[in-house]
Amino acid sequence: MMTQSDAELIDLWLQGQQDVLRILMVRHGGAMLAAARTIAPQAADDIVQEAWLSAVQALAGFEQRASLKTWLIRITMNKGYSYLRRYQREVSMDGLSEQDNPLKDAFDETQHWRQPWGEWQQSTPQDLLESHALQDCMDKHIALLPDGQRLVLVQSQLVGLSVDEVCNNLSLSASNFRVLLHRARVKLHAMVAHYQETGECRSEEHTSELQSHH
């Protein structure tokens, strides 16, 4: 049953085989938790639990216009935003005005990078997170990124949503998406370089200093 597609598992669920829910949770729970952590790390588990409850109730009406994973991520993010509203917190898309944008000339007329960020093409965040030695350090630094950078990085690089899906979720333009993703990568690249050179995670003080620079 683990090899069956999401659509087949949904059909089995609707036929009354409730044990398939555990398979879907194993398959997509990690991505949902990662998405929840981008919005409210301290409440991520509760947000995912609420998302699953809503998803189970709405599964019969799922029209499969998007993938099940994308649908579940969207529900999770909506629950995360509801949590923030309850506690009157705002997600900040910081530093996106044109005058503050240090990368405004970084794209060509086709909206691609003039100079691709080559090193990250061979060493992606997914690859780095597979290293147990870097896991805790990466998690700490990702959590301390400014909201916009963290949301874009995790949703696109770790959760695996497309650029269009992330832009739609966050109401971003494609160019702003690239700016935020680049800034997040630069900060994490500096952390990884430090770790590889010294074998130590950057201090809390230095991490906070990185967070304050856009």
Side-chain angles (χ1 to χ4, degrees):
M1 191 177 290
M2 287 291 291
T3 61
Q4 291 178 295
S5 69
D6 286 343
E8 291 170 329
L9 291 175
I10 291 172
D11 287 340
L12 291 174
W13 165 265
L14 296 178
Q15 293 168 23
Q17 296 190 34
Q18 298 187 4
D19 57 322
V20 303
L21 179 61
R22 182 178 299 273
I23 299 174
L24 292 174
M25 292 178 73
V26 170
R27 186 174 293 180
H28 300 297
M32 294 168 68
L33 186 60
R37 284 174 174 164
T38 69
I39 300 174
Q42 72 281 10
D45 290 336
D46 291 339
I47 290 169
V48 171
Q49 183 176 354
E50 289 187 20
W52 275 116
L53 290 173
S54 294
V56 168
Q57 294 172 359
L59 199 56
F62 176 51
E63 298 179 351
Q64 301 188 40
R65 294 179 181 176
S67 69
L68 179 64
K69 178 181 178 180
T70 298
W71 185 68
L72 290 170
I73 293 296
R74 202 163 287 153
I75 292 175
T76 303
M77 293 189 64
N78 286 337
K79 293 297 181 182
Y81 293 141
S82 294
Y83 170 85
L84 294 184
R85 285 194 293 271
R86 286 199 301 269
Y87 291 93
Q88 296 183 333
R89 296 179 55 200
E90 295 182 356
V91 175
S92 171
M93 296 298 162
D94 61 297
L96 288 180
S97 66
E98 193 65 21
Q99 63 181 7
D100 294 329
N101 182 358
L103 302 177
K104 61 183 179 181
D105 297 320
F107 310 112
D108 60 24
E109 61 277 1
T110 65
Q111 290 301 302
H112 291 88
W113 290 104
R114 296 186 187 277
Q115 296 181 336
W117 190 253
E119 190 164 351
W120 277 82
Q121 294 173 359
Q122 286 80 39
S123 183
T124 66
Q126 295 99 312
D127 296 330
L128 295 171
L129 283 172
E130 289 174 0
S131 167
H132 293 298
L134 276 173
Q135 176 96 40
D136 291 342
C137 195
M138 287 285 285
D139 286 347
K140 180 180 76 173
H141 283 73
I142 289 173
L144 290 173
L145 287 171
D147 289 340
Q149 295 174 25
R150 187 179 70 252
L151 287 162
V152 164
L153 177 78
V154 173
Q155 289 184 45
S156 65
Q157 303 295 285
L158 305 182
V159 175
L161 300 186
S162 70
V163 175
D164 287 343
E165 288 169 337
V166 176
C167 289
N168 181 61
N169 284 339
L170 302 178
S171 300
L172 286 174
S173 68
S175 59
N176 283 345
F177 167 89
R178 293 189 184 98
V179 169
L180 289 169
L181 180 59
H182 182 75
R183 289 173 176 172
R185 284 174 165 176
V186 166
K187 291 177 183 179
L188 292 184
H189 184 275
M191 182 278 295
V192 172
H194 177 83
Y195 187 94
Q196 291 175 336
E197 180 179 349
T198 67
E200 297 179 352
C201 193
R202 286 181 184 269
S203 66
E204 293 285 349
E205 292 79 8
H206 190 91
T207 303
S208 298
E209 181 182 343
L210 281 178
Q211 182 185 21
S212 67
H213 288 81
H214 302 315

